Amino acid sequence: QVQLAESGGDSVQFGGSLKLSCVVSGLPFGEYCLGWFRQVPGVERELGAIAGISDSGTTSYADSVKGRFTSSKDYAKNTLYLQINSLKPEDTAMYYCAAARSCANVVRGKASYWGQGTQVNVSS
């Protein structure tokens, strides 16, 4: 059974930092493309990944988060991370991790597996 479990969400002030984690189980971690998505309450989830990392470790980011978000992964722990710096109120959202064999599918939001999300709240 495939499971993706996010954690690390919190309520922080403008300019703060957070590190989100996503523990992946039930699939060959090193063979999947992984991504982070977010959804604001009452709004549809952003279609594209805000951050992605390929099976080989190549990262990509949406323009809206470039320079502030960093995705990484630990093969020994089967864990995906998202370091978020210089948080802004508009970063307030539920953050999800997702996995797919194809990075094209992850980027387009058509991942095969999804976590339940972790909430990030940023106050001004």
Side-chain angles (χ1 to χ4, degrees), residues 6-17:
E6 302 95 335
S7 63
D10 204 348
S11 295
V12 297
Q13 291 196 327
F14 176 84
S17 297

Side-chain angles (χ1 to χ4, degrees), residues 32-117:
Y32 271 71
C33 191
L34 305 169
W36 287 97
F37 297 79
R38 62 186 179 185
Q39 182 172 16
V40 176
V43 179
E44 282 191 13
R45 190 188 71 228
E46 293 183 37
L47 290 177
I50 55 171
I53 186 164
S54 72
D55 53 346
S56 63
T58 302
T59 55
S60 61
Y61 302 94
D63 288 342
S64 59
V65 305
K66 275 181 183 176
R68 297 191 299 120
F69 287 29
T70 303
S71 184
S72 61
K73 57 183 179 179
D74 185 328
Y75 291 92
K77 296 181 179 180
N78 279 15
T79 301
L80 172 71
Y81 300 102
L82 185 67
Q83 176 69 44
I84 310 175
N85 299 325
S86 303
L87 277 157
K88 306 175 181 180
E90 52 263 43
D91 293 321
T92 294
M94 183 73 79
Y95 284 72
Y96 299 89
C97 61
R101 288 273 190 187
S102 164
C103 283
N105 284 344
V106 169
V107 169
R108 290 197 300 260
K110 298 184 182 299
S112 303
Y113 305 102
W114 293 83
Q116 294 299 307

